[in-house]
Amino acid sequence: MSMNNSSSVFLDAAPSHPNRFQVNVINESHESSAAADSNHDPPHYEETSFVDEAHNRLRISFRPGNQELYDNFLQSGETAKTDASFHTYDSHTNTYYLQTFGHNTMDAVPKIDYYRNTGSISGAKMNRPSLYEIHEQLAKNVAVTPGSADRVANGDGMPGEEQSENKEEDPHAGAVKFGWVKGVLVRCMLNIWGVMLFIRLSWIVGEAGIGLGVIIIGLAVTVTAITGLSTSAIATNGFVRGGLGVLIILLSTMVTSITGLSTSAIATNGFVRGGGAYYLISRSLGPEFGGSIGLIFAFANAVAVAMYVVGFAETVVDLLAESNSIMVDKSNDIRIIGSITVVILLGISVAGMEWEAKAQVILLIILLIAIVNFFIGTVIPSNQEKKSRGFFNYQASIFAENFGPSFTKGEGFFSVFAIFFPAATGILAGANISGDLEDPQDAIPRGTMLAIFVTTIAYLAVAICVGACVVRDATGNVNDTIISGMNCNGSAACGLGYDFSRCLNQNCPYGLMNNFQVMSMVSGFAPLITAGIFSATLSSALASLVSAPKVFQALCKDNIYKGLHFFAKGYGKNNEPLRGYILTFIIAMAFILIAELNIIAPIISNFFLASYALINFSCFHASYAKSPGWRPAYGVYNMWVSLSGAILCCAVMFVINWWAAVITYVIEFFLYIYVTYKKPDVNWGSSTQALSYVSALDNALELTTVEDHVKNFRPQCIVLTGGPMTRPALLDITHAFTKNSGLCICCEVYVGPRKECVKEMNNGMAKKQEWLLKNKIKAFYAAVAADCFRDGVRSLLQASGLGRMKPNTMVIGFKKNWRKAPPAEIENYVGIIHDAFDFEIGVIIVRISQGFDISQVLQVQEELEKLEQERLALEATIKDNESEEGSRGIRGLFKKAGKLNITKQVPKKDTGINTIQSMHVGEFNQRLVEASTQFKKKQGKGTIDVWWLFDDGGLTLLIPYILTLRKKWKDCKLRIYVGGKINRIEEEKIAMASLLSKFRIKFADIHIIGDINIKPNKESWKFFEEMIEPYRLHESCKDLTTAEKLKRETPWKITDSELEAFKEKSYRQVRLNELLQEHSRAANLVVLSLPVARKATISDILYMAWLEILTKNLPPVLLVRGNHKNVLTFYS
């Protein structure tokens, strides 16, 4: 294998070919190779020759016998030199060469750092050598520093770079990161075991019964846990009784497990940063969906803080009520205690994630003890007081009685579900702090799965146990026992010796339906349950208080909402969102003041459901888009189940509270529209992008199966603008009749040495397409590198487009400087018109008085912008220097100026540019600048004059008609001019009007021109003759030998025979200009049939003279010639 670059050198002691440079195998373990050498040569995997074609070839071989020299190289890091003093860098290219697999090459081995932060605008990125660098002969001057070879070979940097420049100090070094237990498992369990477990689960069982209560638990956990790339959901049909309750419990557990795997799927489809659910949605569906749901999700978490704190405050107030220690009244006491509590929680959160994590572990231990205490209490024999309050230990009769639902007035399945639903939202507690996890891809699946399993078992167990031990209603009066002779109402309590029948007519304070502290009564030691309530509520509140700012900070960092970027700032080694904490605290305080748990819980239910609906949909969307980048490590998911989960979430939102669902969707839709309108400058490779590509590809393929039809014809233009910003007027007029209706491709041909042209072309591709997007021009940009302009255009004409979306019309500007241009340029210009006709592509030549090219103006603007930037930088430097200590003196100024490159000398431009630089842009060719924007402006009332002289299939008529449909041109009327006989003007006018009516093209007037073929006046013809005089051969005035010699030397000139043969056509062009001056001088636009020059018959100069005289001294002119295939029809 030969390569066209040099290398660092390994020498033989006596090289056999001093004029060749060759590197053979270098063993990675040279110590073992020495031993192996005594038996046989080691296997040779590759032989590499490095050839410098510009010099005599050096050949220096290294073989296993040269061990000593190789060892010296490894130890000292210095390369040996030949007798010719061949250094580590080639004297021709002065480029340092590196080692990979022991060979001298810049090609890098696979390394994870090359794939890190791909597409990111914020993270540090390490770039592998580009294809250009390893393919082309290197010519960069790279300074050699000790150790640079090792650094580059290992992918740590580029030679010549200082390590200090590459290894910037990480501002978050030493940040606290959590594993899967403390970071995910503990948080999820604490957040799921929230306020509902101790003070609402018994009420839910009392309202819905054991069977339906289990369904509610299963459904809530199922819906909220659907956060992954694939999700599952379970739907219930009515109320479930009898043995179906057990089936539902098992099914719910199974679904919960599957949804846990779903969470694992999205967490393992690439590296997960901070932001939790917002990050998952935004990176999957894009900023529009992510930005809209991110605010809602963060707000829901902030409100959840209030829900948990109010739950805690309710428990404290109940304890105060038992001891007659109420401060004001129950509602106000809840507000007071809740406010104090949230302030304390805020302090813990602001102290840092490490303190918060320690607090969570302590709270979990307390919570586990409380749960165990409850189960112990269910088997401790009940006493008289507890029996009077409805607790009878495990009783089959109580279980049977409580198995079915018994909703009180105003309650139903979904209202109870709405109360319980937020309890299951804790499944995202670990994912919400994904940025603080050591390995989110491992921690989120493992911790979430185990948390789902443990908490689901606990919820079901508590629900079943409390439903089997406690009756729904109890008086709390120990004297309400059954006396012999009393009638028993058949209730479970009646069978157990207690009469709670009066609870049918009045409210009783105890039992599942009435007492929120049932678990404390049942437990073995009531204070532990109280501690458990405190632990569950406080831990859930603390987790939500941390989650909301983290999610909100991630949203603000992405700068989707410019006004919220204030909250993106982080503090400390853990990048704590202190500003977000304050905002969350304010929101939580506002909802704490409501002081009603049953009011707060349904509010956040809809917000969470909306979040989960989008998470489900994002999973479905990513799967449906079939992007190769969708490769979750956990593959247990199904996109149709995910879609079902999204639909289920939306349906449940309306069933729970239809007006709240409507408000949620209105807010989400408003935010979606806002983000879409603002178009944030982010590119996350979302599934929306992937699906757009798939849809476009499918549509393009489907279009190939559709035969072309004249009714569906639309101009599909290839516009030779060069860089689109250099000829904006040409692009504007083309865009006017292709926007939203046809294809438009801006094309540029790079002419010159291939290597330089390709590099320049590749560097400018993205910039020029971005310019089109920024200026809202619906067009593509394409470029080619070619040896000459005509070859490049020929390639574009043949290869541009895709399937049926191929150009059928070429648009070019008129070559205004043709009289000063070299003959080769004129030949290329006319040649591309011939080529277009050869490929059966229509041609439109556009001429405006000032010309199209404004590249000089752009160059002046760029130079002035640079000068202005340097001036501002210098002023800033001087200002900073003045504020520094005087002792630093002028030295600091020069130091800062050097950093800002202010002292860097500006390269000199040629004389023309320097002259222009001294002028203000607004004073430089103001008419050219104005002309470049004339088609951007709204055209006032006027006319578009269409000179349809030759039938080209109707393109000459279709283009102006399309223009009149545009907003800028709608006030312009069409005037049609056609040739005809003087004695049949009225008949031909009627015939043309009939034709236009059949084409359904509105027109203001029709003019029949009957004197086209008469001779032009003498002044006009004289001007034409004077114009072509420098290009005439005048062979008839010379002898035959001289004439033949002139023809060979200047074949591009107009011969007398040619001029005479086409004199009538020349007359026609001059005469047409006279008519155009007479009729269309005041038109907004003139559309004129383009004359066709027969190949190898009419010279390029004569053809250009025709176009010049035809369009001279006129408003903007479009010379149009279709491909002579119908583009208009009057058939339906």
Side-chain angles (χ1 to χ4, degrees), residues 679-695:
K679 289 184 173 60
D681 187 19
V682 295
N683 182 11
W684 294 325
S686 65
S687 60
T688 306
Q689 294 173 327
L691 192 61
S692 297
Y693 174 83
V694 172
S695 300

Side-chain angles (χ1 to χ4, degrees), residues 943-1124:
T943 64
I944 298 177
D945 289 359
V946 183
W947 290 70
W948 194 17
L949 304 178
F950 308 105
D951 193 341
D952 59 351
L955 186 65
T956 307
L957 193 59
L958 181 63
I959 294 296
Y961 168 73
I962 296 175
L963 284 175
T964 59
L965 302 178
R966 306 305 184 198
K967 187 176 181 180
K968 291 184 176 68
W969 293 88
K970 67 178 182 179
D971 293 332
C972 294
K973 307 297 183 182
L974 292 185
R975 293 194 302 187
I976 312 299
Y977 294 82
V978 293
K981 297 180 180 179
I982 295 179
N983 58 351
R984 288 180 51 85
I985 288 180
E986 288 302 321
E987 292 87 342
E988 293 189 6
K989 188 173 184 178
I990 293 171
M992 179 55 61
S994 175
L995 179 61
L996 293 174
S997 298
K998 289 182 179 179
F999 285 150
R1000 301 169 304 282
I1001 292 178
K1002 296 180 179 180
F1003 57 91
D1005 201 0
I1006 296 176
H1007 296 270
I1008 306 298
I1009 308 298
D1011 54 350
I1012 292 178
N1013 290 322
I1014 65 174
K1015 286 185 179 181
N1017 62 51
K1018 292 181 180 179
E1019 289 78 12
S1020 300
W1021 180 249
K1022 182 181 179 181
F1023 178 85
F1024 178 76
E1025 286 186 320
E1026 290 175 351
M1027 181 176 63
I1028 64 173
E1029 179 61 31
Y1031 310 102
R1032 292 187 60 180
L1033 195 63
H1034 290 294
E1035 78 278 8
S1036 59
C1037 302
K1038 301 177 177 62
D1039 58 80
L1040 186 60
T1041 305
T1042 304
E1044 292 297 326
K1045 181 180 179 182
L1046 288 174
K1047 285 182 180 179
R1048 289 193 302 271
E1049 291 177 352
T1050 55
W1052 46 272
K1053 285 195 172 184
I1054 304 171
T1055 64
D1056 293 342
S1057 58
E1058 178 191 5
L1059 188 61
E1060 186 63 30
F1062 298 104
K1063 196 168 189 176
E1064 292 298 325
K1065 286 191 175 181
S1066 298
Y1067 281 158
R1068 185 191 302 155
Q1069 314 311 324
V1070 179
R1071 176 57 183 161
L1072 279 173
N1073 182 258
E1074 291 177 350
L1075 294 170
L1076 286 162
Q1077 297 274 2
E1078 179 183 346
H1079 295 281
S1080 300
R1081 189 68 183 269
N1084 294 61
L1085 181 70
V1086 176
V1087 181
L1088 176 65
S1089 293
L1090 172 69
V1092 177
R1094 194 176 296 276
K1095 285 196 300 184
T1097 305
I1098 299 175
S1099 65
D1100 299 335
I1101 292 291
L1102 181 58
Y1103 185 62
M1104 291 301 299
W1106 286 356
L1107 300 183
E1108 173 73 31
I1109 195 65
L1110 186 61
T1111 58
K1112 179 178 176 293
N1113 294 332
L1114 289 174
V1117 178
L1118 269 63
L1119 293 165
V1120 181
R1121 175 67 68 155
N1123 61 1
H1124 285 241

Side-chain angles (χ1 to χ4, degrees), residues 436-455:
D436 295 294
L437 301 176
E438 288 181 358
D439 184 4
Q441 291 177 300
D442 175 68
I444 292 175
R446 188 185 298 185
T448 304
M449 283 292 295
L450 187 55
I452 289 172
F453 176 76
V454 173
T455 54

Side-chain angles (χ1 to χ4, degrees), residues 298-340:
F299 182 76
N301 274 281
V303 177
V305 175
M307 182 189 74
Y308 295 125
V309 169
V310 168
F312 167 77
E314 278 189 5
T315 306
V316 175
V317 169
D318 288 342
L319 293 175
L320 293 176
E322 290 179 3
S323 59
N324 295 320
S325 300
I326 296 295
M327 293 178 285
V328 183
D329 55 57
K330 280 195 172 184
S331 295
N332 285 315
D333 282 9
I334 290 174
R335 295 185 180 100
I336 294 169
I337 295 170
S339 300
I340 296 172

Side-chain angles (χ1 to χ4, degrees), residues 892-907:
L893 173 61
F894 285 117
K895 185 176 180 182
K896 288 193 172 184
K899 289 181 180 179
L900 292 168
N901 292 325
I902 295 173
T903 59
K904 182 179 177 181
Q905 186 176 0
V906 179

Side-chain angles (χ1 to χ4, degrees), residues 27 74 78 218 554 775 827 893 964:
N27 293 319
L74 292 177
E78 297 176 358
N775 288 272
E827 181 183 1
L893 173 61
T964 59

Side-chain angles (χ1 to χ4, degrees), residues 717-738 744-747 771-772 777 779 789 810-815 829 844-848 851-854 931-936 1117-1119:
C717 298
I718 181 169
V719 195
L720 302 184
T721 57
M725 64 284 291
T726 60
R727 292 176 176 83
L730 181 61
L731 180 56
D732 290 338
I733 188 62
T734 307
H735 190 241
F737 57 81
T738 60
C744 182
I745 306 177
C746 301
C747 294
W771 184 90
L772 292 171
I777 296 174
F789 180 69
M810 179 182 73
V811 182
I812 58 175
F814 178 72
K815 191 170 181 63
Y829 182 82
I844 299 177
I845 300 177
V846 187
R847 181 174 186 179
I848 59 176
F852 293 104
D853 191 358
I854 62 167
S932 68
T933 62
Q934 61 180 304
F935 298 125
K936 293 182 183 295
V1117 178
L1118 269 63
L1119 293 165

